[in-house]
Amino acid sequence: MRERFLGLDGKRLYLMRHGQTYEPRLDAPMASAEEDPALSLTPAGREDVLATAQGMAKLGLEAAFSSTFHRSFETARLIAEPHGLTVRTHPALEELRLHPEPGGTLRDVARKYLALSRELATREASAVELDCGRSVADVVAAAQNALAELLAGPAQRVLVVAHGGLNRFLLTGFLGLPLHRFLAVDQDFACVNLVEFVAGGRPWVRALNVTYTDPFKASDLARS
């Protein structure tokens, strides 16, 4: 993977997950494959992203990108606005296609992710297909190539807003973990991950799953 990022020394990638699109509870209904790309942020999700945008306003972001999904673009637009940036989209940053059956819930999606993790532990990523018919290896490689392409521009501080599942795979690679460990990397709504590239293109994960409004995950303690 390192070869993709050669020559990017000093580049800082702010990799985000989009803001909230559903209440994070296991019985929350999930959108269908057809509805998913058009999902918007919830009012609470928009407020959370706006607070995060305020916290990131002094970072001096120089370029902003998102997936083609509306929730990702909407999040990136709110974060980029204080920096006067226009958001560009890239299809390789789209979410993994792991949709439940009609009427499915977040619990059903979680089960699909667990099954995917188990399958990756016993089979090569090139042999494990997602619902879109593409292999995990192809999806991850395309996303890594997209990041390298976006980072190769003149901007030093780059915002990329993608999705929870894809971000987990990208960060797993940056951390040098096998892909089947992707669920060991949490990605909350509107979280920010900072990856800096050093020593000829080596990814240095400097911050992981930072949520501006709840940096110490106190809301998890309140629910327990």
Side-chain angles (χ1 to χ4, degrees):
M1 182 185 72
R2 181 179 176 182
E3 289 74 17
R4 290 183 171 90
F5 302 100
L6 290 175
L8 297 182
D9 286 38
K11 299 278 184 168
R12 292 167 70 93
L13 167 65
Y14 294 89
L15 179 64
M16 285 190 67
R17 184 187 180 191
H18 60 80
Q20 184 190 97
T21 54
Y22 56 84
E23 188 176 342
R25 63 178 201 274
L26 287 176
D27 62 345
M30 293 290 99
S32 67
E34 294 74 22
E35 298 168 331
D36 190 43
L39 280 181
S40 295
L41 303 180
T42 64
R46 181 180 174 83
E47 289 302 313
D48 199 17
V49 172
L50 284 170
T52 305
Q54 183 178 9
M56 298 177 71
K58 295 183 179 180
L59 291 178
L61 298 176
E62 298 171 300
F65 303 93
S66 78
S67 84
T68 59
F69 283 22
H70 181 66
R71 58 189 181 273
S72 174
F73 179 81
E74 188 178 3
T75 299
R77 182 179 59 79
L78 293 172
I79 300 293
E81 188 172 8
H83 305 269
L85 299 174
T86 299
V87 178
R88 288 178 282 171
T89 62
H90 198 299
L93 302 173
E94 293 175 0
E95 179 60 299
L96 308 179
R97 305 302 177 121
L98 287 172
H99 298 290
E101 297 298 322
T105 65
L106 180 58
R107 179 179 285 104
D108 299 312
V109 175
R111 287 170 176 160
K112 283 206 163 200
Y113 273 93
L114 286 169
L116 178 61
S117 177
R118 295 188 187 104
E119 190 172 7
L120 285 169
T122 60
R123 302 177 66 195
E124 293 293 328
S126 58
V128 178
E129 284 195 356
L130 300 170
D131 291 351
C132 61
R134 297 171 63 201
S135 73
V136 170
D138 284 345
V139 168
V140 173
Q144 291 172 340
N145 289 337
L147 286 183
E149 173 191 326
L150 302 180
L151 289 166
Q156 290 293 108
R157 295 176 292 277
V158 179
L159 171 73
V160 172
V161 181
H163 301 264
L166 183 63
N167 283 5
R168 284 180 170 94
F169 277 128
L170 290 170
L171 290 162
T172 297
F174 288 144
L175 291 166
L177 298 172
L179 282 181
H180 76 267
R181 295 291 313 283
F182 74 100
L183 290 179
V185 178
D186 199 9
Q187 289 290 277
D188 292 319
F189 285 126
C191 71
V192 184
N193 310 279
L194 171 58
V195 183
E196 187 169 350
F197 294 88
V198 299
R202 186 187 305 277
W204 181 22
V205 180
R206 301 195 62 189
L208 188 66
N209 196 36
V210 176
T211 45
Y212 183 75
T213 56
D214 187 16
F216 298 109
K217 316 303 179 189
S219 60
D220 293 343
L221 296 175
R223 290 196 298 268
S224 63

